[in-house]
Amino acid sequence: MLKLEQVKKNYGTFSLDCSLEVKPGRITGLIGQNGAGKSTIFKGILGLISIEGGKIRIFGTESPHISAKEKQDIGVVLSDSGFSGYFTVHDIIPVMEQMYQHFDKRFFLEQAQRFGLPMDKKLKDFSTGMKAKLKVITAISHRAKLLLLDEPTSGLDVVARDELLDLLREFMEDGERSILISSHISGDLESLCDDLYMIHDGKILFHEDTDVLLSDYALLKMSRQQYEAIEKPYILRKRQESFGYCCLTNQKQFYAENYPQITIEKGNIDEVIMMMIRGERL
């Protein structure tokens, strides 16, 4: 569906160098702190900024050569864009009908009603949650095959985020669509995505299937003496703590079987991110 190969972009002191792939039928998450490069990646994919190296392929075609028909198959939500605040939901319909051959007006109206969006209220008077829901509904209302969602849940409360994630799961039910979604809210991606890329300072630090991350990654907590004695081929990062050492591993079972005396804690995405950024390589 989508493949980036060593895509490069420089802004002053910031440098992006990124490779990633979104496969058919999968939801791929891009996670990282604000300023890590997530929005730069999305803008590069969409041609909103020029890239300085590498290749971007969408549906197997290099992005500069994507046809108008293929562009119809892409749905987009960007964190810093949207319709005019003086539009109403009704005003959006003729715009979408003009832009997209397969815009489904009935579906759009059904979803707007489902999520309680006021039809004749100006968008500038919408709450943050209403605006976010409208962006996603609009992006999926023209039978897109690939969704590009940059921070779609940012600023939403727990209930609104959960509603949006349910909508995205429904979008994926036919098994032939794909999503690239970015967020700095790890819980959203942990429950939604098939695989995750972590970006920091413009570089991909790791890529892993979500199931593997949740089942095989762990934090090992041990004294200095235990750290000196332990085998380290599967230690990804280490941090010195007051009690000794905290280490990140992607082979939890190996250490559980061979070192029952050390403390092993199941790692979540936040902890993996923290260790990958702040931990030391061996």
Side-chain angles (χ1 to χ4, degrees):
M1 280 287 189
L2 172 67
K3 190 171 186 178
L4 280 66
E5 300 178 46
Q6 296 181 313
V7 171
K8 294 177 173 60
K9 180 69 179 179
N10 295 292
Y11 290 114
T13 59
F14 175 79
S15 178
L16 177 73
D17 187 350
C18 170
S19 296
L20 63 81
E21 184 174 6
V22 181
K23 295 182 178 179
R26 289 171 69 87
I27 303 178
T28 295
L30 181 63
I31 193 162
Q33 298 169 304
N34 291 332
K38 301 187 300 294
S39 293
T40 302
I41 289 172
F42 280 86
K43 290 176 180 177
I45 293 169
L46 294 167
L48 299 176
I49 59 172
S50 60
I51 61 171
E52 297 165 13
K55 294 179 180 179
I56 299 173
R57 290 187 174 89
I58 305 173
F59 309 131
T61 303
E62 286 196 37
S63 57
H65 308 299
I66 289 290
S67 68
K69 184 177 183 300
E70 288 172 316
K71 289 178 181 178
Q72 295 264 325
D73 292 330
I74 303 172
V76 179
V77 172
L78 296 179
S79 57
D80 57 357
S81 68
F83 290 99
S84 165
Y86 292 93
F87 272 34
T88 65
V89 173
H90 277 303
D91 292 332
I92 291 172
I93 293 172
V95 176
M96 294 297 292
E97 287 176 328
Q98 184 69 28
M99 291 177 63
Y100 295 101
Q101 180 181 354
H102 299 297
F103 175 68
D104 189 335
K105 177 180 177 181
R106 179 178 176 181
F107 174 83
F108 177 80
L109 291 172
E110 285 175 350
Q111 297 305 313
Q113 183 177 17
R114 170 186 173 184
F115 289 104
L117 301 183
M119 303 302 294
D120 297 308
K121 188 175 185 178
K122 294 190 184 301
L123 303 188
K124 66 184 180 67
D125 298 321
F126 274 29
S127 67
T128 301
M130 288 177 180
K131 291 176 182 175
K133 292 172 187 176
L134 179 60
K135 282 184 177 183
V136 174
I137 291 168
T138 302
I140 67 174
S141 65
H142 56 88
R143 302 180 194 171
K145 295 178 182 176
L146 173 65
L147 283 189
L148 303 174
L149 308 177
D150 185 18
E151 298 276 3
T153 61
S154 181
L156 302 187
D157 59 39
V158 174
V159 174
R161 290 208 311 271
D162 198 48
E163 289 175 338
L164 274 189
L165 297 181
D166 282 343
L167 187 59
L168 296 179
R169 292 185 185 101
E170 292 171 13
F171 172 82
M172 292 294 292
E173 285 177 355
D174 74 353
E176 297 180 358
R177 295 165 168 166
S178 299
I179 299 175
L180 176 64
I181 178 172
S182 76
S183 181
H184 61 276
I185 303 171
S186 62
D188 290 353
L189 302 191
E190 186 173 301
S191 65
L192 180 70
C193 296
D194 298 295
D195 62 312
L196 294 166
Y197 286 86
M198 180 184 164
I199 187 170
H200 179 65
D201 286 341
K203 307 293 188 295
I204 299 296
L205 290 188
F206 83 100
H207 172 226
E208 190 62 270
D209 283 353
T210 310
D211 289 345
V212 172
L213 191 153
L214 295 176
S215 64
D216 294 354
Y217 282 65
L219 299 179
L220 312 176
K221 298 189 175 181
M222 66 198 84
S223 67
R224 181 183 296 272
Q225 292 77 15
Q226 289 171 325
Y227 176 77
E228 295 297 334
I230 200 171
E231 295 177 76
K232 302 179 178 66
Y234 307 119
I235 300 295
L236 303 178
R237 294 287 193 279
K238 68 173 183 177
R239 270 182 71 183
Q240 194 163 1
E241 306 280 2
S242 58
F243 56 81
Y245 284 91
C246 178
C247 299
L248 176 67
T249 181
N250 61 354
Q251 295 291 333
K252 178 175 67 176
Q253 194 62 31
F254 172 83
Y255 290 101
E257 291 175 357
N258 293 284
Y259 298 94
Q261 71 275 19
I262 67 173
T263 300
I264 301 177
E265 296 180 356
K266 182 179 178 180
N268 60 34
I269 293 178
D270 282 334
E271 290 166 334
V272 171
I273 290 171
M274 189 62 65
M275 285 298 293
M276 291 297 291
I277 293 174
R278 299 183 62 188
E280 302 176 37
R281 293 180 182 270
L282 271 65

